[in-house]
Every structure is written in structure tokens, then in C-alpha cells.
Amino acid sequence: MKKVIHLASFLSLLFFANQFYAQEITVFQGMWGDEFYQDKDKMTWKEFGMAMDSNPASEVYWSKSKKQFGVTFAAATANLGFGIWYLVNENNDNETTAPIIGFASTAVVGSIFYCLANKSKKNAILEFNDSLGKTTYRLVPADRGVGLALKF
């Protein structure tokens, strides 16, 4: 009976210790945008957003990044409008100074906010990963003897 209890306690310790092992998030540039991974498992944008919202420090940067990406999208839409306006005026031999200025200014604004959004997203990931490092532990082979030990 004692062997069953020892085996059950060992297996439960092994299971729970592996569940609490913190996994850092990494991001790679893919063909269609960023790809997020937690260890070797690919994360969706929804899973990534939920992970960022779970940590108060990373949530601030993540919400800031989403707002900055919104401004970037608005600037890109305005940039498209100014590009169409320029093409229409060019074909009709009208003045093209205003569309060129608008096109250039929205391109600059969009580029600035895109860089800021990426920086905020990077800071959110770093804050999330830093918060994991404080409370992690895992099972490792014992230095001396036979067995496993908890490493903090």
C-alpha cells in the first residue's frame, strides 16, 4: 500500500512541477506578420493577447501597442487616399502639391507609429518574460545520488 502512495505522490509531483514551469514567449517575423511561440508551440494572436493581458505590467505595453497600430492603420488608409487623389489629379492635369504633401506626411506619421507600436509590443513581451523568471522552478537530475530535485 505504501508503494502505491509513494508512486502516486511522485507522479503527481512530477506532473505539477512540469505544469508550473514557466515558458517564455518569443516572436519571429513571418511572411504575413509576426509569429509567436511559447517554447516550440506556435501561439495564435488571441492566445498571445490573453497571455499579455494576464500580466499587469505587460498589459500596459500591449494596450499601448494596439492603440499605436490603430493609428498606423489610419495613417495607411489616409496615405492610400492621398495616393489615389494624386493619381486622379495627375491624369487630369490638376495641381498635385497638396496630394504629395499629404502622401508624404501620412507616410511619416504611419512609419513613426509603426515603430512605436513594435517597440511597445517588444516591451510587453519582455515584461511578460521577466515576470516569469521570478517564480519558476523545475525538476532536474540530482547532483549526487539517484533521483530528481526541484530547482528554483
Side-chain angles (χ1 to χ4, degrees), residues 11-64:
L11 290 176
S12 64
L13 176 65
L14 182 67
F15 175 76
F16 287 118
N18 284 333
Q19 293 298 319
F20 291 128
Y21 180 66
Q23 299 174 348
E24 291 188 351
I25 293 177
T26 54
V27 61
F28 298 103
Q29 188 68 32
M31 180 176 250
W32 304 110
D34 293 332
E35 295 178 354
F36 303 101
Y37 290 89
Q38 195 165 20
D39 273 350
K40 293 181 180 179
D41 301 326
K42 188 173 181 176
M43 298 175 72
T44 64
W45 270 92
K46 186 176 183 178
E47 292 170 341
F48 175 73
M50 288 173 31
M52 291 297 112
D53 290 339
S54 68
N55 184 343
S58 64
E59 182 182 16
V60 172
Y61 286 114
W62 179 240
S63 64
K64 190 176 183 182

Side-chain angles (χ1 to χ4, degrees), residues 75-150:
T77 304
N79 193 298
L80 179 64
F82 280 116
I84 293 170
W85 184 22
Y86 170 78
L87 292 175
V88 168
N89 282 358
E90 181 71 25
N91 286 340
N92 294 334
D93 293 331
N94 292 338
E95 185 66 32
T96 58
T97 305
I100 290 174
I101 292 172
F103 187 82
S105 62
T106 54
V108 168
V109 169
S111 299
I112 290 171
F113 275 95
Y114 181 75
C115 291
L116 289 173
N118 280 333
K119 185 177 179 182
S120 294
K121 182 173 57 174
K122 180 181 79 168
N123 287 336
I125 294 170
L126 291 174
E127 285 292 328
F128 180 82
N129 290 342
D130 283 345
S131 70
L132 295 177
K134 297 175 186 171
T135 59
T136 62
Y137 64 89
R138 63 183 181 269
L139 285 175
V140 294
D143 290 336
R144 297 180 188 164
V146 177
L148 296 173
L150 286 176

Side-chain angles (χ1 to χ4, degrees), residues 61-77:
Y61 286 114
W62 179 240
S63 64
K64 190 176 183 182
S65 174
K66 289 193 291 187
K67 290 175 187 174
Q68 291 166 338
F69 273 125
V71 173
T72 301
F73 182 73
T77 304

